[in-house]
Amino acid sequence: VQLVESGGGLVQAGGSLRLSCVDSGSFFSSNVLGWYRQTPGKQRELVASITRGYSTNYADSVKGRFAISRDNAKNAVFLQMNSLKPEDTAVYYCNTVPEFIDWGQGTQVIVSS
């Protein structure tokens, strides 16, 4: 297992969660990293990305609410999610951008209204 995501859970609308992902391999520190999410019947979408130089980019749907960060020394990437909405409910995954590591199991986020 190379990618391990954690930190998901059940939260009320307006709440916060912090997701973590660790890469047991050696790809993270040298690549653009991203958080993706997927809901049943839909394609996986990229919601946030961060370069090696810490420049970030966000999907319009999460801009101003989510914040991505990384720790190259720990081969880790994080996603702080604030002001969560029911439409943020999904399984969240981390990977490089574009993705070339086998997907992990993801972490489920459920936002209740």
Side-chain angles (χ1 to χ4, degrees), residues 26-99:
S26 59
F27 293 103
F28 264 22
S29 61
S30 58
N31 286 280
V32 178
L33 303 179
W35 281 96
Y36 302 75
R37 67 186 181 188
Q38 187 171 27
T39 54
K42 293 187 177 181
Q43 283 192 327
R44 196 169 292 167
E45 64 169 338
L46 177 66
V47 297
S49 62
I50 184 168
T51 69
R52 290 178 58 192
Y54 304 99
S55 293
T56 58
N57 196 32
Y58 299 93
D60 288 343
S61 58
V62 306
K63 200 170 295 183
R65 300 187 297 119
F66 290 11
I68 188 171
S69 59
R70 64 189 292 167
D71 185 334
N72 291 333
K74 296 181 179 180
N75 285 330
V77 63
F78 309 95
L79 188 67
Q80 178 66 44
M81 306 188 296
N82 300 323
S83 301
L84 282 162
K85 303 176 179 180
E87 51 263 44
D88 295 318
T89 295
V91 179
Y92 286 72
Y93 303 86
C94 63
N95 211 315
T96 53
V97 180
E99 64 274 16

Side-chain angles (χ1 to χ4, degrees), residues 18-29:
R18 178 175 169 83
L19 307 184
S20 300
C21 173
V22 177
D23 171 26
S24 61
S26 59
F27 293 103
F28 264 22
S29 61

